[in-house]
Amino acid sequence: CYATDGGFVWTMGGKINDADAESFAVCDDGVHFLTGGVRVPHGFGKDKNRVYYYDYVGKTKWVKKARPETFHSLNDGYFARDDNFVFCGDTVLREARVEHWLKIGGVFSRDDRRVFYFDREIATADYDTFEVVPSGRDHVQLAKDKNNFYRNADVIDAATFDEMLADK
């Protein structure tokens, strides 16, 4: 995902102009798998001043609120945290409580009060009964709670949910 010669740092999106090549470190394996097992560069890197995120789309992004000294990636191409914030890519999970946050499956996560899909809260989720259901599909995340069934962050009916499970 990242390359350096000790003087500069690059991604497929080009040179990272502000990166300090001397202190630059890769934070994860830098790979994301697309449908069919295609590998693309995807992940976090940091130097002594900043944290960076590259997702194979355009330029490398600066993770603005991240503190390099306490930052660590979950090595899944999406989630990371430092001592103040939880991140999904270069975006902060607003109001996520770091000390209680954990990934619960796929791109679903939770803290002690909320359930999240990628970087947004699922307002309809029943916290106590929410669970991720493996779908066997690359880009379909299924979950359920006592009130609803979910495809990604969207509420779906029981018949659609069952159909998606049957199509594994």
Side-chain angles (χ1 to χ4, degrees), residues 23 39 59 62 64 76 110 112 114 131 141-142:
S23 66
R39 296 166 49 112
K59 298 285 185 184
W62 172 28
K64 292 183 179 164
D76 64 358
R110 69 180 345 147
D112 61 335
R114 296 175 183 85
E131 64 179 290
Q141 305 282 312
L142 298 178

Side-chain angles (χ1 to χ4, degrees), residues 11-30:
T11 65
M12 294 285 291
K15 185 172 96 173
I16 306 172
N17 291 323
D18 298 325
D20 178 68
E22 192 172 298
S23 66
F24 193 85
V26 175
C27 299
D28 50 40
D29 65 13

Side-chain angles (χ1 to χ4, degrees), residues 44-108:
F44 294 96
K46 66 181 179 177
D47 63 21
K48 66 183 179 181
N49 302 309
R50 294 183 175 171
V51 175
Y52 304 91
Y53 181 70
Y54 184 68
D55 64 1
Y56 196 65
V57 179
K59 298 285 185 184
T60 304
K61 293 148 188 90
W62 172 28
V63 186
K64 292 183 179 164
K65 292 189 175 189
R67 294 185 58 216
E69 58 275 8
T70 62
F71 181 89
H72 70 277
S73 167
L74 268 63
N75 199 30
D76 64 358
Y78 296 106
F79 292 108
R81 67 168 140 203
D82 65 14
D83 57 355
N84 294 318
F85 298 103
V86 177
F87 304 92
C88 183
D90 64 325
T91 304
V92 171
L93 270 70
R94 289 194 330 238
E95 299 184 34
R97 294 167 37 127
V98 177
E99 63 275 12
H100 299 284
W101 180 88
L102 63 117
K103 181 178 170 178
I104 57 175
V107 291
F108 291 104

